[in-house]
Amino acid sequence: MIERLVAIMARLRDPVDGCEWDRAQDFRSIAPYTIEEAYEVADACERGDMAELKEELGDLLLQVVFHSRMAEEAGAFTLADVVAAISDKMERRHPHIFGDRENGGHHLWEAIKAEERAAKDDKSALAGVALGLPALLRAEKLQKRAARTGFDWPDASGARAKIDEELAEVEAASNPDHRAEEVGDLLFAVVNWARFHGIDPEAALRRGNAKFERRFRAMEAEAGEAFPTLDLESQEALWQKVKSTE
C-alpha cells in the first residue's frame, strides 16, 4: 500500500512529466504544511472524529513521503532509511521489550534518550528541543529539560509568584519592544505554572480557542447582521447570555 503512495510522489516530482507545484518545493517550503497537517491530526483526535482522523493521518503520511522523496533525490536518504531509523530507535529505547535489560518503563526511556543526547556534539540538557515547535510546546519542553538538572521551583507557589513578577514588568515596560519582551517572559511563566499543575498548555489554549469561537459564533447567530453595530455593553450582555446557556 505504501508503495503506491511512494510511486505517486515520485511521479509528481518527475522533472519532466511531474506536477509544476510539487517539483518547485523544497524542505523549507514544505515544512509549514507538515506542521499544519500534524495540528489537523491533533484536532481530529480532540473532536474524536475517526473519519477525519483517517484522512488527516493520510495527509501527514504524505508529508513524510514528500520529505523522503526530496531527500532521496538529493542522495541523502530514502523512505526505507526513515522507517529503519525509527524502528531501530524504538527497539533501542525499549530494551525491556526487545532486549534483556530489566526494570523497564518510562524512566528507562528517558535515561536512554539522555544517553543518546550525550553522544551528540551539543551536550546541553536543552539540546534537540526543535526550534520549529509551537512556542507554548517548546517552552514546556525547555522547562522540563531544565528541571531534570534541578533548575526548577520546589513547588507551584514559586511558579505562581513568577507570573505576578512578570506581569508587573509588562506594566512597567518603557517602550513597545520592551513590553513585547516582557509579555514573552509572562507567557513563559504561565507555561511553567501550568506544568506544575500537570496541564498541557498547548492543549489548554486549543480548548480556550474553541470555547471562544463557539461562544462568539453563538453571539453572531443571536444578534444576526446587527452584531457589528452593537455597542460593547450590548455585545458583553450577549456574551454573558451565551455563556450562561452552556
Side-chain angles (χ1 to χ4, degrees):
M1 291 181 288
I2 189 70
E3 289 80 6
R4 180 185 175 195
L5 182 57
V6 171
I8 289 172
M9 181 51 63
R11 177 68 182 275
L12 291 173
R13 290 281 297 179
D14 186 277
V16 177
D17 299 321
C19 169
E20 181 178 353
W21 186 88
D22 290 280
R23 292 201 316 265
Q25 303 311 307
D26 58 26
F27 296 109
R28 288 187 176 181
S29 68
I30 286 297
Y33 296 98
T34 308
I35 294 170
E36 180 180 345
E37 296 301 349
Y39 270 106
E40 291 182 358
V41 167
D43 181 62
C45 291
E46 187 75 21
R47 292 183 286 105
D49 189 332
M50 291 298 101
E52 189 74 12
L53 179 59
K54 178 184 71 174
E55 180 175 346
E56 297 302 343
L57 285 172
D59 291 343
L60 184 57
L61 178 59
L62 175 63
Q63 294 298 307
V64 176
V65 172
F66 206 143
H67 282 282
S68 298
R69 176 62 196 180
M70 291 188 291
E72 183 175 357
E73 292 167 359
F77 57 81
T78 68
L79 179 62
D81 295 326
V82 172
V83 174
I86 187 59
S87 298
D88 290 344
K89 180 186 291 185
M90 294 304 291
E91 290 179 349
R92 183 172 66 251
R93 292 185 176 178
H94 293 83
H96 56 298
I97 303 298
F98 301 104
D100 299 326
R101 196 161 174 177
E102 298 178 352
N103 302 316
H106 186 69
H107 68 283
L108 181 57
W109 170 281
E110 294 297 339
I112 293 172
K113 286 174 64 177
E115 291 172 3
E116 292 172 353
R117 286 195 296 270
K120 296 182 178 180
D121 292 336
D122 188 348
K123 306 298 184 183
S124 172
L126 306 182
V129 181
L131 289 170
L133 288 173
L136 287 179
L137 178 57
R138 189 164 194 268
E140 183 186 27
K141 286 185 174 292
L142 289 170
Q143 291 165 6
K144 287 181 176 179
R145 289 284 190 87
R148 292 175 196 160
T149 71
F151 188 70
D152 202 8
W153 300 106
D155 55 49
S157 63
R160 177 62 183 84
K162 190 67 174 175
I163 293 176
D164 292 334
E165 176 187 328
E166 296 298 349
L167 181 57
E169 292 182 3
V170 171
E171 294 173 339
S174 57
N175 58 64
D177 288 342
H178 185 197
R179 187 170 297 110
E181 179 182 346
E182 297 301 342
V183 167
D185 292 344
L186 174 61
L187 291 172
F188 192 86
V190 171
V191 170
N192 209 14
W193 185 70
R195 179 175 62 87
F196 270 95
H197 289 278
I199 297 170
D200 178 344
E202 192 75 27
L205 185 55
R206 282 201 302 270
R207 289 193 292 271
N209 289 341
K211 182 191 294 183
F212 176 82
E213 182 177 7
R214 182 177 68 249
R215 290 176 177 175
F216 190 87
R217 288 178 179 275
M219 290 165 59
E220 290 178 313
E222 181 81 16
E225 294 181 359
F227 179 74
T229 67
L230 298 177
D231 58 30
L232 182 58
E233 183 177 352
S234 299
Q235 290 180 336
E236 175 62 21
L238 267 178
W239 177 270
Q240 294 300 328
K241 179 181 178 181
V242 166
K243 182 178 177 180
S244 67
T245 61
E246 291 186 344

